[in-house]
Amino acid sequence: MANVIRVCLVGAGRAGQVHAESLVQHIPDGKLVALVDPNPTALEKAGAKFAVEARFSSLEQAIDRAAFEAVVITTPTFTHRGLAITAAAGGKHIFCEKPMALTLEECDEMIAAAERNSVLLQLGFMRRFDPDFQAAASRIEAGEIGQPMLVKALTHGPGLPPAWARDLKTSNGMLAEVNSHDWDAVRWLAQSDPERTYAQVSNFKGAKHGVDTPHFYDTALVNIRFNSGALGSISGVCPCDYGYDSRVEIVGEKGLLQIGDVRGQAVVVCTNRESGLVTPIFRSWPERFASAYVREMKHFLGCVRSGLQPSVTGQDGRWAVAGVLAATKSFFEERSVRLAELLDAVPEVTEATR
Amino acid sequence: MANVIRVCLVGAGRAGQVHAESLVQHIPDGKLVALVDPNPTALEKAGAKFAVEARFSSLEQAIDRAAFEAVVITTPTFTHRGLAITAAAGGKHIFCEKPMALTLEECDEMIAAAERNSVLLQLGFMRRFDPDFQAAASRIEAGEIGQPMLVKALTHGPGLPPAWARDLKTSNGMLAEVNSHDWDAVRWLAQSDPERTYAQVSNFKGAKHGVDTPHFYDTALVNIRFNSGALGSISGVCPCDYGYDSRVEIVGEKGLLQIGDVRGQAVVVCTNRESGLVTPIFRSWPERFASAYVREMKHFLGCVRSGLQPSVTGQDGRWAVAGVLAATKSFFEERSVRLAELLDAVPEVTEATR
Amino acid sequence: MANVIRVCLVGAGRAGQVHAESLVQHIPDGKLVALVDPNPTALEKAGAKFAVEARFSSLEQAIDRAAFEAVVITTPTFTHRGLAITAAAGGKHIFCEKPMALTLEECDEMIAAAERNSVLLQLGFMRRFDPDFQAAASRIEAGEIGQPMLVKALTHGPGLPPAWARDLKTSNGMLAEVNSHDWDAVRWLAQSDPERTYAQVSNFKGAKHGVDTPHFYDTALVNIRFNSGALGSISGVCPCDYGYDSRVEIVGEKGLLQIGDVRGQAVVVCTNRESGLVTPIFRSWPERFASAYVREMKHFLGCVRSGLQPSVTGQDGRWAVAGVLAATKSFFEERSVRLAELLDAVPEVTEATR
Amino acid sequence: MANVIRVCLVGAGRAGQVHAESLVQHIPDGKLVALVDPNPTALEKAGAKFAVEARFSSLEQAIDRAAFEAVVITTPTFTHRGLAITAAAGGKHIFCEKPMALTLEECDEMIAAAERNSVLLQLGFMRRFDPDFQAAASRIEAGEIGQPMLVKALTHGPGLPPAWARDLKTSNGMLAEVNSHDWDAVRWLAQSDPERTYAQVSNFKGAKHGVDTPHFYDTALVNIRFNSGALGSISGVCPCDYGYDSRVEIVGEKGLLQIGDVRGQAVVVCTNRESGLVTPIFRSWPERFASAYVREMKHFLGCVRSGLQPSVTGQDGRWAVAGVLAATKSFFEERSVRLAELLDAVPEVTEATR
């Protein structure tokens, strides 16, 4: 067996537990050796669940007192920049959950820190490792459907996000928290970078849920134009209540390609002639993307071992952030926004800040 | 437009009304000119519904008093032989619903009568005219899946059949009333005649429905060996309650072919994450085979007009009856039955009886 | 049978023949009594095919010399206004194919002419009569999925449109010719009128097909905001080559609803383990919406008979035209366009013009 | 983490490697510590692949020289009895691949040996651990579809089996090698034991593949009657070439339940309007049942750890063998065979033989 990579997980929430489960149950050549969470209760609970003795309230502490090669960051978005820079400074390879950060400046700082310290930086776009998405991407790369003309992605999720994830200030909101994956997927599958975007959002359920977060929206529809001339759309609904729904549909010059399925299980039941056939739906993202989460983490540890660059990098994370920011600007200003407006405005990360 | 063929419909029940609807609404070059039913209430009702003035209690009367070229027989099975012979003697072309008759002798008499009087005889195996079944048959004929090795057909229907259709004496029971279509379909699609058959039946729901018909069964499973060596199965469940379900699956030397779908409508709804996606099922055979019923009647009238033999003949009807009788013998005697046992025992229709 | 309504069909092209087929084959209480087409060859051919003796080069002629109650208009868009006004002036009820007309002024003139002459005006949005769409609409009206939040429609069609249908001047282009149905469907199913729209278009295949029509596009993606706050999208690809594809997906406050299917037949074949399962796709719109075309025409003739207003009116046609014009303005001016910009600019049809 | 169970794998073939992969990659609390195979090349290769140093040509050797708690038997059927008895005598818990053995006597000896030595015996019916099958079984147990009336299972597999697996003497042939899973599944899901069976087999492809094994067949169709009155069928086709296909369909008194799907991936492609939509099929059983193999092995190790009986036991394996033998007798003797004919003929395992 390959030499085991030791991992420190930062963030004991839901996404953190998905990665911990991967490391403990499904990846024999990775070892979860340390846990970091500022919340002592969450830390205790996750530590017990995954049998990790080394538990810390900060990444700095963990770096000081425990030995590991890699850090997995699964905390709220607004903390990513600081944690990534700390990890890089400590010489630790970084796996960072999406969205990468709140601003392009933060993304650049993270990328620069990783480069400066010669550590890897992989972004948590697990769809790149889902067997369905990978098979589809291979077909597109092989030219099976020709040049992509239209790429439509959707992610609709069941539960109301926590307060920080609804607040544009701490998370950039649903387009970032729920649809980051779509921003990455459409760019990946369209094989082109987004050139401009237009977005509309609506708030249907906020009042019902007692949400008073300013600018809260639960429905979003984004229109994208890529450099290649391809058109794209992203839709987000959260909470959509009906299940976890994530699909992509691409029309290329030669044909159609669909990825994903509303159906979550190969079981069909009919016990009522009036209502008809019933088949289960995916209920959550860990259920839908179970194998993708394991595979992305294996890829990361494989890169740490080999020293090769991950296939999903900080640049990919940065593009998704750029899309989210442009779309957000779009719905605030009720106009289409070129991504260059934002990209050109970012001050270069100077040697000093590096 | 082609010259209009005038039709006398015998039997004002459910199947009769389906054909009346076809003639009145969907087949401009056919005209329903007379109705026959011994039940005055049913006759009145159907006559009014389809605006047919010429109403008779017997086919003989209709032949005497009305002018038409063709007869459509949709009465209970035990009446088919007599009606077909009367129609033939009157020089009327015959469309006869399945099952053709109760015995092979009856079938032979019907075939002989049609031949003797130079009238056409088409059997009501409408699946032969269903677009899905036809497309599949064309693919098999074109060799797309190679030599058929295994052919499995099912028909499950929702409602308890009427008393005469449950009684083996008046109908040969479910294998005839519900599964006649399957007997025809497997022989058609296997491209071979059945050589032997074995059947099992069960009665799960009879008591619940207060059925005291002797030998009643609601579940049947038939195993068939064809002359080509292909194997076949037919399953029947009636009442199955959950909807109308009719599908065929064929494995050929080169591949798989499936015909039909449980789903009855291209609509999917999900309003409950726990129960999942719901899609309508076919509720009845007139719904599932709506276009097939119109198309088979058009084919019949086209044959009447052109004088060409129908693509589904009395011989096809006779094979289905032979299968039903062999399978019935099989479950009574708990052994496999060669069809030759029955076919060889039929006395030839002599010139005298002709 | 009900009294027969006599129909004059104007336009012997593809859509005209679909309606002629409905009238001749499937609607016993409608009668195609006259044909109008300025092209003598097309007129001859259609006349022979549908056995219509009364053939004219203009609607005026037909009105002069033949007796009928209703006109079905299936000519290119730029002719609709004139024909409808002529028909109305002649006291004929009007069934008009989509798109209704080139401008809102034209729509208003057509509506005014119908009102002034007390004739009915039905628009050819046949999806309103498709069993799948109707079942879905009933579910929405019954509140099954709650208030619609997101409505996405697509129509992708296989063939390159004729020159007049690509030219914005004579047809308003693909968004009108192909996607008019979607404009009507999203408004119908969202249960709200569109408030603003943003559109992007692209031209991927024009050069390959030698198209030099100015402003030609083969790919379009439209973003809509409805008065209710619901968001909508329409995508169009033509020629898409891979088949005829028309689907709608709606997310309501309580759940998801999908209408339509890429699959065009309930037949599945697998003869190659590497390529997998193959199932037919719809190849054309007459195939996909066969029953809807018959049903919309039956509805129209039923209204003519009863005097009741059709369920799809000139106002519905006008809304679709407004959407197309706003979206076209949007992609030309690269900004979102409120429909009120166009609607408010239409001079009221004065008594004089009436 | 739980204490690690050490495993010795006997048989380095395809099934053996699937279990080795599970143990090495997916089951952190199981450890593959020894490999047994009489073929030195296969042994070397598997040893290197799974990094197992302890390699032996016989189970006896392994027991002598290595320390482990459990044995996984994946060798050809005719060796199972001997290996299981050796393992039991050595005090090792036994996981045995299907089919359990060649005769009921062998099954009884294996069961007796396990009991005598107080070791567990789990059979490799991995479908019991497949999420789709489990969900379906739970629904049946919960009464969702009522009392099962009809249970139909199929397994069609792509490749020609090796010589020993085609020879009735060494394997009982396809009904055992391919369809053992179906024998277990129908009994499990019908919630009743089989009472009698009738089978037909055919040989379509043998000559083409140069197979001269006596009594070779590639197509089988089995009819089963359960004690409850439920009817069942099993179909087998191997080599079927078109993919790996494994599905079950159940009709209960209240409704229909389908398990499994021909489709092997949530990807749909259409690049040809004439041929239509293409979607991948499962290509092999390790692909179709990937998670089931991991889950059954976890269950086994969990039972070893807890001392609880596995949910799939030697008795389940014995029932499948009884079905296979009765069906084989049936097609040889062309009659239906009661399982009691075989079950009653088995001499009780005496204390002496224990």
Side-chain angles (χ1 to χ4, degrees), chain A residues 147-150 152 154 156 196 198 200-202 204-205 208 218-223 225 228-233 235 237 241-242 245 247 249 251 253 255-256 258 262 334 336, chain C residues 147-150 152 154 156 196 198 200-202 204-205 208 218-223 225 228-233 235 237 241-242 245 247 249 251 253 255-256 258 262 334 336:
Chain A
Q147 160 77 25
M149 301 160 73
L150 187 64
K152 301 196 277 191
L154 66 85
H156 304 165
R196 65 174 62 235
Y198 173 84
Q200 282 282 351
V201 299
S202 259
F204 278 95
K205 300 183 175 177
K208 202 172 304 170
D218 50 25
T219 309
L221 184 58
V222 179
N223 197 319
R225 182 176 198 97
S228 65
L231 307 180
S233 88
S235 82
V237 182
D241 298 325
Y242 70 83
D245 194 358
R247 287 170 282 142
E249 198 162 310
V251 180
E253 287 195 32
L256 173 77
Q258 297 179 308
V262 197
E334 181 47 46
S336 82
Chain C
Q147 159 78 25
M149 302 160 74
L150 187 63
K152 301 196 278 192
L154 68 84
H156 304 165
R196 65 173 63 234
Y198 173 84
Q200 282 282 350
V201 299
S202 259
F204 278 95
K205 298 183 177 177
K208 202 172 305 170
D218 50 27
T219 308
L221 185 57
V222 179
N223 196 318
R225 182 175 199 98
S228 66
L231 307 181
S233 88
S235 82
V237 182
D241 297 325
Y242 70 83
D245 194 358
R247 288 170 282 142
E249 198 161 311
V251 180
E253 286 195 35
L256 173 77
Q258 298 180 308
V262 198
E334 180 50 45
S336 81

Side-chain angles (χ1 to χ4, degrees), chain B residues 325-336:
Chain B
L325 293 173
T328 303
K329 194 176 186 66
S330 166
F331 72 71
F332 269 113
E333 303 183 5
E334 182 48 47
R335 63 175 182 93
S336 82

Side-chain angles (χ1 to χ4, degrees), chain B residues 18 79 81 86 138 203 207 255 264 302 319:
Chain B
V18 166
T79 68
R81 175 193 153 279
T86 301
S138 298
N203 174 356
W319 270 109

Side-chain angles (χ1 to χ4, degrees), chain B residues 139 147-154 156 196-205 208 218-225 228-242 245 247 249 251-256 258 262 274-275 281 334-337, chain D residues 139 147-154 156 196-205 208 218-225 228-242 245 247 249 251-256 258 262 274-275 281 334-337:
Chain B
R139 285 167 179 263
Q147 159 77 26
M149 301 160 74
L150 188 63
V151 180
K152 300 195 278 191
L154 67 83
H156 304 165
R196 66 174 61 235
T197 188
Y198 173 84
Q200 282 282 350
V201 299
S202 258
N203 174 356
F204 277 95
K205 299 183 177 176
K208 203 172 304 170
D218 50 26
T219 309
L221 184 58
V222 179
N223 195 318
I224 300 164
R225 181 176 199 98
S228 65
L231 307 180
S233 88
I234 292 174
S235 82
V237 182
C238 186
C240 75
D241 297 325
Y242 70 84
D245 194 358
R247 288 170 281 142
E249 198 162 310
V251 180
E253 288 195 33
K254 295 186 193 162
L256 173 77
Q258 298 179 309
V262 198
E274 297 313 313
S275 57
I281 193 169
E334 182 48 47
R335 63 175 182 93
S336 82
V337 173
Chain D
R139 286 167 179 263
Q147 160 77 26
M149 300 160 75
L150 187 64
V151 180
K152 299 195 279 192
L154 68 85
H156 304 165
R196 65 173 62 235
T197 188
Y198 172 84
Q200 282 283 351
V201 299
S202 259
N203 174 357
F204 278 95
K205 298 183 176 176
K208 202 172 304 171
D218 50 26
T219 308
L221 185 58
V222 179
N223 197 317
I224 300 163
R225 182 176 198 98
S228 65
L231 307 180
S233 87
I234 292 175
S235 81
V237 182
C238 186
C240 75
D241 298 324
Y242 71 83
D245 193 358
R247 288 169 281 141
E249 198 161 311
V251 180
E253 287 195 32
K254 295 187 193 160
L256 173 78
Q258 298 179 307
V262 198
E274 297 313 314
S275 58
I281 192 168
E334 181 48 46
R335 65 176 182 91
S336 81
V337 174

Side-chain angles (χ1 to χ4, degrees), chain B residues 44-353:
Chain B
E44 274 328 276
K45 211 170 148 188
K49 181 170 175 187
F50 299 105
V52 177
E53 295 303 325
R55 305 171 194 172
F56 308 96
S57 63
S58 76
L59 177 56
E60 284 82 354
Q61 275 191 356
I63 290 175
D64 269 9
R65 307 192 200 157
F68 48 86
E69 289 78 40
V71 167
V72 170
I73 301 172
T74 68
T75 50
T77 313
F78 60 88
T79 68
H80 286 185
R81 175 193 153 279
L83 289 165
I85 288 175
T86 301
K92 312 302 185 192
H93 298 289
I94 305 160
F95 177 98
C96 182
E97 261 302 333
K98 44 50 60 179
M100 185 172 176
L102 288 176
T103 65
L104 294 173
E105 287 82 352
E106 288 188 354
C107 293
D108 286 343
E109 289 183 68
M110 293 164 75
I111 292 168
E115 283 177 5
R116 197 165 54 232
N117 294 283
S118 299
V119 297
L120 302 177
L121 170 56
Q122 179 173 328
L123 256 288
F125 293 133
M126 79 289 176
R127 290 181 199 185
R128 300 249 193 167
F129 301 92
D130 175 71
D132 294 338
F133 276 78
Q134 284 192 326
S138 298
R139 285 167 179 263
I140 293 173
E141 278 154 33
E144 207 172 303
I145 61 162
Q147 159 77 26
M149 301 160 74
L150 188 63
V151 180
K152 300 195 278 191
L154 67 83
T155 306
H156 304 165
L160 185 70
W164 71 264
R166 301 194 299 260
D167 191 331
L168 300 190
K169 289 196 202 115
T170 44
S171 73
N172 286 325
M174 183 179 78
L175 280 174
E177 285 303 315
V178 172
N179 294 115
S180 271
H181 297 295
D182 299 296
W183 284 101
D184 183 59
V186 297
R187 178 173 157 265
W188 174 38
L189 299 167
Q191 303 183 310
S192 180
D193 293 328
E195 191 264 325
R196 66 174 61 235
T197 188
Y198 173 84
Q200 282 282 350
V201 299
S202 258
N203 174 356
F204 277 95
K205 299 183 177 176
K208 203 172 304 170
H209 285 87
V211 173
D212 57 3
T213 320
H215 311 301
F216 172 75
Y217 59 89
D218 50 26
T219 309
L221 184 58
V222 179
N223 195 318
I224 300 164
R225 181 176 199 98
F226 294 92
N227 285 329
S228 65
L231 307 180
S233 88
I234 292 174
S235 82
V237 182
C238 186
C240 75
D241 297 325
Y242 70 84
Y244 179 77
D245 194 358
S246 161
R247 288 170 281 142
V248 178
E249 198 162 310
I250 303 136
V251 180
E253 288 195 33
K254 295 186 193 162
L256 173 77
L257 192 157
Q258 298 179 309
I259 313 171
D261 197 355
V262 198
R263 197 186 67 164
Q265 203 174 53
V267 170
V268 176
V269 178
C270 184
T271 56
N272 184 327
R273 181 150 72 122
E274 297 313 313
S275 57
L277 300 153
V278 176
T279 194
I281 193 169
F282 288 112
R283 276 179 296 190
S284 65
W285 49 266
E287 185 187 332
R288 166 62 184 90
F289 287 107
S291 76
Y293 278 103
V294 173
R295 291 157 61 108
E296 73 171 355
M297 193 52 68
K298 283 190 174 173
H299 176 77
F300 174 59
L301 299 186
C303 290
V304 169
R305 201 169 289 114
S306 68
L308 296 175
Q309 276 297 318
S311 61
V312 201
T313 66
Q315 290 301 336
D316 296 311
R318 186 183 191 266
W319 270 109
V321 172
V324 169
L325 293 173
T328 303
K329 194 176 186 66
S330 166
F331 72 71
F332 269 113
E333 303 183 5
E334 182 48 47
R335 63 175 182 93
S336 82
V337 173
R338 286 180 307 111
L339 270 76
E341 292 183 37
L342 291 94
L343 296 168
D344 295 349
V346 184
E348 230 173 285
V349 177
T350 62
E351 281 311 305
T353 66

